[in-house]
Amino acid sequence: SINFAVREINRKNRKNKKKMATTDKKQATRTTIDELNEKLSSAEQSVEKNKKKILYAVIAAVAVVAIGFWAYYGFYQNKVSETKELVGKADAAKMEGQDSMALKLYKQAAEGYGKFANRANLEAAIILFNQGKAADALTYLEAYSSEESLIGSMAQTLKGDCNVNLKKYDDAVACYEKAVKVADGNKMLVPFAMYKKAIVLAAQNKHAEAAKVFEEISNQYPAFAPHGQGGLDIQKLMEQEKFRAAGDK
């Protein structure tokens, strides 16, 4: 019948539409996958092309750093050698009693490089202190550093002496205390720095504190004499400061 024929035509049309939709979907999926594959392939090709460029850039950067390092190392070694030579000349001038020339050379060397420049700071400070230039000496001492206990303690003691001359008594006491610490138990340097500390405390009218330090020296370092065997008696200094401390009460 006509109705049956119409229904059969519509059924075939729907079936064809489904097939077409499925076909279109598969084609779209394939197209999407193909596009992704093309993009990945393009990215891989781009990386491959840039690999050599990146490698060359890295090599160039490493080469620049290496050249810079060796250039600086060569420059540094030359400056260290120049500084060592200046210190040698300064030492010779100092031994000949030419302190002014020695000081000039030590100052030049102090502006150099390496351990000789560091020692030049200390040597310049010693000469300046002996010339009565405590402030200048202190400047060079501040630039000096030492990991060695004996020289380090002596440098701190000298720094304390500079502060005494500049009437910076609290700073002087702090330097003497540091000198004791740095001396690492040395039986000559420790009581020497303690003695100087006690003298400064006494000058500040801190008699009880001074007496205590003198007593520590007397008990711990009985053989110590500030100015040799004929020097001041630590025991008498202690009793003197105790007497003054009692008078303050």
Side-chain angles (χ1 to χ4, degrees), residues 31-245:
T31 300
T32 302
I33 292 173
D34 290 341
E35 288 176 352
L36 287 174
N37 287 333
E38 288 177 3
K39 288 180 180 179
L40 288 173
S41 177
S42 177
E44 288 175 358
Q45 290 175 3
S46 178
V47 169
E48 287 296 327
K49 289 179 181 179
N50 291 324
K51 268 185 179 179
K52 288 185 178 181
K53 292 182 180 179
I54 294 171
L55 180 61
Y56 291 149
V58 171
I59 292 172
V62 171
V64 169
V65 171
I67 291 170
F69 171 78
W70 286 112
Y72 175 77
Y73 182 77
F75 168 81
Y76 178 81
Q77 289 301 315
N78 287 335
K79 289 299 181 182
V80 168
S81 296
E82 291 175 6
T83 303
K84 181 180 179 180
E85 185 177 350
L86 283 170
V87 170
K89 291 179 180 179
D91 289 343
K94 185 178 180 180
M95 289 180 66
E96 293 173 1
Q98 299 176 9
D99 286 353
S100 295
M101 176 58 69
L103 177 59
K104 180 180 178 181
L105 291 169
Y106 282 134
K107 283 183 174 181
Q108 290 178 15
E111 296 177 359
Y113 294 78
K115 62 181 182 180
F116 290 98
N118 187 47
R119 184 165 80 81
N121 281 307
L122 179 59
E123 297 289 354
I126 293 171
I127 295 175
L128 287 166
F129 179 78
N130 290 334
Q131 291 179 347
K133 300 175 181 178
D136 292 337
L138 194 58
T139 298
Y140 281 92
L141 284 170
E142 293 292 349
Y144 173 75
S145 62
S146 175
E147 296 180 358
E148 203 278 321
S149 61
L150 298 183
I151 298 176
S153 178
M154 292 170 66
Q156 285 297 324
T157 299
L158 180 58
K159 191 182 292 187
D161 293 346
C162 289
N163 280 303
V164 169
N165 288 3
L166 295 171
K167 302 186 186 305
K168 297 179 179 180
Y169 300 120
D170 289 337
D171 290 342
V173 168
C175 289
Y176 294 137
E177 288 175 346
K178 189 169 183 179
V180 170
K181 184 178 180 181
V182 173
D184 195 26
N186 184 279
K187 293 183 179 180
M188 181 178 67
L189 297 180
V190 170
F192 183 63
M194 291 175 68
Y195 166 75
K196 284 180 172 283
K197 173 186 174 181
I199 292 297
V200 174
L201 290 171
Q204 291 180 294
N205 295 320
K206 298 178 180 179
H207 302 298
E209 293 180 45
K212 183 179 179 181
V213 176
F214 282 131
E215 186 171 11
E216 289 176 359
I217 296 172
S218 179
N219 293 336
Q220 298 173 22
Y221 306 93
F224 173 74
H227 303 288
Q229 295 300 320
L232 298 172
D233 189 323
I234 295 295
Q235 191 73 23
K236 288 183 178 179
L237 290 171
M238 178 190 70
E239 292 172 357
Q240 174 181 287
E241 290 305 306
K242 283 185 176 180
F243 177 77
R244 289 176 176 174

Side-chain angles (χ1 to χ4, degrees), residues 7-39:
R7 283 197 300 272
E8 186 64 20
I9 291 170
N10 289 337
R11 185 181 66 79
K12 288 181 179 181
N13 286 338
R14 286 195 298 271
K15 187 175 181 180
N16 289 334
K17 285 182 179 180
K18 287 181 179 181
K19 285 182 178 180
M20 290 175 65
T22 301
T23 301
D24 292 342
K25 187 175 181 180
K26 287 181 179 179
Q27 290 177 346
T29 301
R30 281 198 298 271
T31 300
T32 302
I33 292 173
D34 290 341
E35 288 176 352
L36 287 174
N37 287 333
E38 288 177 3
K39 288 180 180 179

